[in-house]
C-alpha cells in the first residue's frame, strides 16, 4: 500500500518506521497486525535484502533479484503503508518526518513531503566508520546498502575481464577484518572460480585480493582459534592478509600506510561501525561515541518518549554493564521482535518487561569454502563448529528471516522452488573444502 492510503487511518495511532532492514521490515509486519495502529515504513530503496547477503551480491556470487523482497508487495500483504524516499530530517516538535522527493530511472515519482507520526521508530542501521582517514569517501567503495553492493558488482566483472585479457592483475584491497571483510574476500575468490568455469582463463590468477586490519587478528568478535583458522584458510586460498596495519589515506592508487603502501585498483572500506547519517544528525538526542542513539531498556530514546530506536543505530547499555551492546543483526532482530510484541501495550499505557538480549553465538561463512560457528554460549565443549554444518547454520538464519517475513508455508514453497530450479541455474558452488 502506498502512502496516499494513510488518509483513511487518521483515527488510528500513527507509527512511522524509518528503515526497512532486518529490524524495520520485521517490525512493520508485526505491528500492522494491531488494528489500532496505522503503520508506515519509509525507505529509499524499493526492495529489502537480508544485509548479511550484501557481500555475496557485491562479489557477484548471488543475484539480488532472487532474494529481494519488494516493499510494496510486503506492505500490501501485511497491511502497512510503504513510503519511498530518503528522510531528510525529523521535526520533533511537530512530530513529522521530512521525506525527500523520490526519483526512479530519472523520473520524479513523488514530491518532497512531510509524514506525521505519533510514535517514531528509527531502524536506519549503520555504515562503515572512516575513522578520519583521508580519501575514504572519495576513493573507497562501501557495501552497506543494496545499491552500493549492486554498483560494486556491476563494476567488478568488467574490470576482471579487461584485466584477464590484458594479462595483468585486478588488485582489490579490503580494509576491515571483521565478518564483512572476511566474507567478502572469500566471495571474491569464489566469483573468480565461477568466471573461470565459464571460460575466463586464469581468472583466479588475475584476481589479487588483500585484506588488512589495524588490529592484531581477524574476526575479533570470535575466539582466537576461529581467527587463526579463518586467516589460514584465506591465505591458503590466495588472499594476502595483513594485520596490525595502520591505513593513513586512500587514493586512486590504493592504500597509503604509515610504513608503506598497498597498490589497489579497487578499495573496499569495511572497517568499523557507526550509526547511519540520519541518526548522527539528530544531535538534540543523546548519542554514544559512534553516533548511535541512546535508548532505555524498552528501546525508547532517553530524551523523547515518542521516539524508539532499534538495531545498529541504537545504543543500549545493559544494567550493570559499562559498555553498550555491539551492533549485530542478532540484536537488531531481537529488538524488532520485542517491540512487535510489546509496543502496542506500551502505547496503551501498560507495563512491559524490559528488553533482554540472548546471545546465540556468531556465524561467519567463507563462501562455499568454509564456515565457522561460535556456540560457546550453549555449553558446547569446543565452542566452535566448522565446515558444512556451520555453513548450513548460516543458511538457516536466512530461512528464519524469510519465515518472519512470509510465514512457514511460504518459506517451504520458496525452499522447494530453489531446489527445483537449481538444476537449470548456473552452478556457483565451486572449490568446496571443509
Amino acid at each position: 500500500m502506498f502512502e496516499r492510503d494513510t488518509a483513511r487511518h487518521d483515527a488510528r495511532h500513527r507509527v512511522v518506521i524509518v528503515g526497512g532492514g532486518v529490524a524495520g521490515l520485521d517490525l512493520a509486519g508485526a505491528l500492522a497486525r494491531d488494528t489500532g495502529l496505522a503503520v508506515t515504513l519509509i525507505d529509499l530503496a524499493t526492495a529489502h535484502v537480508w544485509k548479511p547477503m550484501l557481500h555475496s551480491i557485491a562479489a557477484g556470487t548471488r543475484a539480488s533479484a532472487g532474494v529481494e523482497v519488494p516493499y510494496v508487495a510486503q506492505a500490501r500483504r501485511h497491511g502497512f503503508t510503504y513510503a519511498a524516499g530518503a528522510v531528510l530530517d525529523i521535526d520533533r516538535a511537530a512530530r513529522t518526518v521530512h521525506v525527500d522527493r523520490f526519483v526512479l530511472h530519472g523520473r520524479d515519482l513523488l514530491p518532497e513531503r512531510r509524514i506525521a507520526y505519533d510514535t517514531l521508530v528509527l531502524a536506519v542501521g549503520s555504515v562503515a566508520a572512516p575513522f578520519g582517514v583521508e580519501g575514504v569517501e572519495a576513493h573507497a567503495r562501501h557495501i552497506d546498502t543494496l545499491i552500493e553492493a549492486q554498483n560494486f558488482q556491476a563494476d567488478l566483472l568488467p574490470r576482471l575481464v579487461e584485466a584477464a585479457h590484458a594479462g595483468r592483475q585486478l588488485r582489490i584491497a579490503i580494509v576491515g577484518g571483521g565478518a564483512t571483510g572476511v566474507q567478502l574476500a572469500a566471495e571474491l575468490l569464489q566469483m573468480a572460480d565461477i568466471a573461470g568455469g565459464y571460460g575466463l582463463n586464469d581468472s583466479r590468477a588475475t584476481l589479487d585480493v588483500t585484506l588488512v586490519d589495524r588490529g592484531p587478528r581477524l574476526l575479533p568478535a570470535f575466539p582466537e582459534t576461529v581467527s587463526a583458522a579463518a586467516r589460514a584458510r584465506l591465505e591458503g586460498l590466495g588472499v594476502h592478509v595483513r594485520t596490525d596495519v595502520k591505513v593513513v589515506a586512500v587514493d586512486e592508487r590504493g592504500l597509503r600506510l604509515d610504513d608503506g603502501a598497498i597498490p589497489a585498483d579497487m578499495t573496499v572500506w569495511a572497517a568499523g561501525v557507526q550509526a547511519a547519517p540520519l541518526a548522527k544528525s539528530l544531535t538534540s538526542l543523546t548519542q554514544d561515541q559512534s553516533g548511535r542513539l541512546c535508548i532505555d531498556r524498552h528501546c525508547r530514546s532517553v530524551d523523547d518518549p515518542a521516539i524508539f530506536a532499534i538495531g545498529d543505530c541504537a545504543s543500549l547499555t545493559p544494567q550493570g554493564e559499562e559498555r553498550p551492546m555491539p551492533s549485530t543483526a542478532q540484536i537488531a532482530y531481537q529488538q524488532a521482535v520485542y517491540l512487535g510484541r510489546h509496543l502496542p501495550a506500551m502505547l496503551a499505557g501498560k507495563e512491559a518487561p524490559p528488553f533482554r538480549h540472548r546471545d546465540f553465538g556468531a556465524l561467519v561463512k567463507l563462501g562455499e569454502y568454509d564456515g565457522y560457528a561460535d556456540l560457546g554460549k550453549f555449553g558446547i565443549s569446543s565452542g566452535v563448529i566448522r565446515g558444512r554444518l556451520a555453513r548450513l547454520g548460516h543458511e538457516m538464519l536466512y530461512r528464519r528471516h524469510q519465515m518472519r517475513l512470509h510465514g512457514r508455508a511460504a518459506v517451504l514453497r520458496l525452499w522447494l522452488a530453489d531446489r527445483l530450479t537449481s538444476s537449470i541455474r548456473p552452478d556457483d558452488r565451486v572449490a568446496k573444502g571443509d
Side-chain angles (χ1 to χ4, degrees):
M1 298 167 67
F2 290 101
E3 57 197 281
R4 64 171 181 269
D5 295 328
T6 56
R8 296 181 299 180
H9 308 313
D10 288 346
R12 298 193 289 172
H13 187 97
R14 299 164 298 182
V15 177
V16 173
I17 303 169
V18 181
V22 169
L25 185 57
D26 187 289
L27 180 60
L31 293 180
R33 292 194 290 266
D34 190 308
T35 57
L37 302 178
V39 181
T40 299
L41 176 69
I42 305 174
D43 201 287
L44 173 61
T46 58
H48 162 85
V49 168
W50 194 48
K51 190 170 183 178
M53 284 184 174
L54 291 181
H55 58 269
S56 58
I57 293 172
T61 56
R62 186 187 296 269
S64 61
V67 295
E68 290 181 3
V69 180
Y71 288 123
V72 170
Q74 196 72 359
R76 180 178 180 182
R77 185 179 299 119
H78 292 278
F80 61 87
T81 298
Y82 163 58
V87 174
L88 298 176
D89 59 68
I90 295 167
D91 188 333
R92 290 173 53 202
R95 292 194 178 184
T96 59
V97 178
H98 184 192
V99 182
D100 198 2
R101 63 194 181 98
F102 180 63
V103 180
L104 187 64
H105 303 310
R107 292 189 173 187
D108 285 1
L109 297 186
L110 294 170
E112 283 191 40
R113 64 271 192 211
R114 292 190 177 272
I115 298 175
Y117 68 86
D118 299 305
T119 296
L120 178 66
V121 182
L122 296 173
V124 293
S126 61
V127 296
F131 298 116
V133 175
E134 178 187 347
V136 171
E137 296 305 320
H139 300 288
R141 311 292 187 95
H142 302 273
I143 55 171
D144 298 314
T145 68
L146 175 59
I147 294 174
E148 290 173 343
Q150 290 173 327
N151 288 342
F152 181 85
Q153 192 277 329
D155 197 26
L156 173 64
L157 189 56
R159 282 174 174 254
L160 183 66
V161 172
E162 290 173 354
H165 285 296
R168 57 179 173 79
Q169 286 190 312
L170 175 64
R171 302 164 301 179
I172 300 178
I174 304 171
V175 181
T180 297
V182 166
Q183 293 179 132
L184 177 62
E187 294 285 352
L188 287 171
L189 296 181
Q190 184 176 326
M191 179 275 298
D193 284 335
I194 294 170
Y198 282 89
L200 185 60
N201 296 331
D202 298 324
S203 56
R204 173 62 86 85
T206 300
L207 188 64
D208 181 82
V209 179
T210 301
L211 176 63
V212 306
D213 193 90
R214 64 178 180 175
R217 63 187 179 96
L218 303 180
L219 301 173
F222 285 78
E224 289 191 23
T225 53
V226 172
S227 298
R231 176 168 186 161
R233 191 72 171 104
L234 288 174
E235 290 179 331
L237 291 168
V239 177
H240 308 291
V241 179
R242 296 187 58 181
T243 50
D244 289 312
V245 170
K246 183 178 180 180
V247 178
V248 297
V250 180
D251 57 31
E252 65 278 1
R253 294 168 295 181
L255 306 178
R256 282 192 280 139
L257 314 178
D258 58 348
D259 61 351
I262 296 177
D265 304 299
M266 302 176 74
T267 298
V268 180
W269 193 269
V273 174
Q274 64 180 4
L278 176 63
K280 294 188 70 173
S281 72
L282 301 176
T283 55
S284 62
L285 299 177
T286 303
Q287 303 176 359
D288 68 8
Q289 292 182 342
S290 299
R292 299 187 298 168
L293 302 177
C294 294
I295 59 174
D296 63 20
R297 294 189 299 162
H298 295 92
C299 299
R300 195 192 313 257
S301 165
V302 297
D303 304 294
D304 190 332
I307 296 179
F308 292 75
I310 57 176
D312 290 359
C313 71
S315 177
L316 173 61
T317 302
Q319 194 169 12
E321 300 289 335
E322 295 182 357
R323 296 183 177 180
M325 295 189 299
S327 299
T328 67
Q330 182 182 142
I331 292 175
Y333 164 77
Q334 292 183 23
Q335 289 177 330
V337 172
Y338 168 81
L339 280 189
R341 291 174 179 170
H342 300 294
L343 184 58
M346 285 190 275
L347 297 180
K350 300 178 182 178
E351 290 291 329
F355 169 75
R356 288 187 175 86
H357 165 54
R358 293 187 63 189
D359 189 348
F360 292 106
L363 285 163
V364 64
K365 180 173 177 251
L366 304 188
E368 296 300 332
Y369 304 112
D370 218 335
Y372 307 90
D374 174 21
L375 303 178
K377 299 292 183 180
F378 291 92
I380 297 175
S381 57
S382 67
V384 175
I385 295 175
R386 178 177 178 177
R388 186 183 300 274
L389 188 58
R391 297 201 307 272
L392 177 61
H394 195 274
E395 176 68 17
M396 294 306 295
L397 284 179
Y398 174 56
R399 296 301 180 186
R400 183 188 67 174
H401 176 60
Q402 285 186 311
M403 190 177 301
R404 290 283 302 178
L405 297 182
H406 307 303
R408 293 182 181 180
V411 169
L412 178 59
R413 292 194 295 269
L414 288 168
W415 178 79
L416 287 173
D418 288 343
R419 299 297 297 174
L420 289 171
T421 59
S422 62
S423 61
I424 60 173
R425 287 201 307 253
D427 186 7
D428 61 0
R429 301 174 66 84
V430 293
K432 298 179 184 178
D434 292 333

